């Protein structure tokens, strides 16, 4: 059996100390973006048992007045991407134009969209169970200018 050299032990010890330092610093000051050295808070917290549960969706209105679901199949944009950038859309609703463009690229024969909106459906929860009631809240909307 070969023994580890002094230099080899020092390199391994240094790598271990560096990894532990990054892990500790990420735990104390990190965000989800620093994963795997930061905390992955998405799974480390929970809502109170009576807090309403959000369900975000994107929908559009075409020029005929029909409401169109703008999910991944319709636009190629995943819901998680929309939810993750929702604050940007609220700050600049014109960014929703790209969702309308993505829909038009996939559905060239469909009527053009005149509105795109992000809607959050808040499901009422009591005692950790859904009550069957909900309300919709439009978080942001973009209107096409003809």
């Amino acid at each position: 059996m070969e023994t580890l050299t002094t230099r080899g032990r020092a390199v391994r010890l240094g790598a271990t100390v560096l990894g532990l330092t990054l892990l500790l610093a990420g735990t104390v000051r990190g965000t989800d973006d620093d994963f795997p050295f930061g905390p992955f808070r998405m799974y480390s917290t929970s809502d109170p048992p009576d807090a309403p549960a959000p369900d975000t969706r994107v929908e559009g209105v075409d020029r005929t007045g029909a409401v169109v679901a703008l999910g991944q199949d319709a636009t190629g944009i995943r819901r998680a991407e929309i939810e993750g950038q929702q604050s940007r859309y609220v700050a600049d609703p014109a960014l929703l134009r790209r969702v309308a463009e993505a829909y038009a690229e996939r559905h060239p024969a469909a009527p053009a969209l005149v509105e795109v909106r992000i809607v959050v459906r808040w499901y009422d929860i009591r005692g950790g169970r859904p009550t069957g009631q909900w309300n919709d809240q439009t978080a942001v909307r973009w209107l096409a200018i003809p």
Side-chain angles (χ1 to χ4, degrees):
M1 178 187 322
E2 294 183 34
T3 59
L4 194 59
T5 65
T6 303
R7 182 172 185 238
R9 272 186 248 136
V11 168
R12 287 184 183 192
L13 180 62
T16 301
V17 168
L18 177 64
L20 290 174
T21 301
L22 288 171
L23 191 59
L24 179 63
T27 299
V28 173
R29 299 200 36 108
T31 65
D32 287 348
D33 293 335
D34 300 322
F35 186 79
F37 294 107
F40 203 42
R41 289 189 175 101
M42 172 195 256
Y43 297 111
S44 68
T45 61
S46 65
D47 291 328
D50 289 337
D55 182 21
T56 304
R57 69 181 185 273
V58 181
E59 58 188 31
V61 178
D62 68 21
R63 69 173 178 253
T64 69
V67 176
V68 180
L70 298 177
Q72 183 173 348
D73 291 341
T75 64
I77 302 170
R78 296 177 323 151
R79 185 174 90 168
E81 294 175 45
I82 297 290
E83 288 176 343
Q85 300 294 320
Q86 187 168 328
S87 61
R88 288 186 61 219
Y89 291 116
V90 170
D92 185 6
L95 294 173
L96 287 172
R97 173 189 301 271
R98 180 62 192 120
V99 176
E101 291 169 351
Y103 175 77
E105 288 171 11
R106 287 182 170 235
H107 306 278
L113 296 177
V114 296
E115 178 181 356
V116 176
R117 55 190 176 221
I118 298 175
V119 179
V120 181
R121 175 165 286 176
W122 293 94
Y123 287 96
D124 189 40
I125 306 291
R126 293 286 179 253
R129 299 275 185 229
T131 65
Q133 298 177 341
W134 70 82
N135 66 14
D136 287 344
Q137 173 189 22
T138 300
V140 61
R141 80 176 33 168
W142 167 80
L143 297 171
I145 300 172

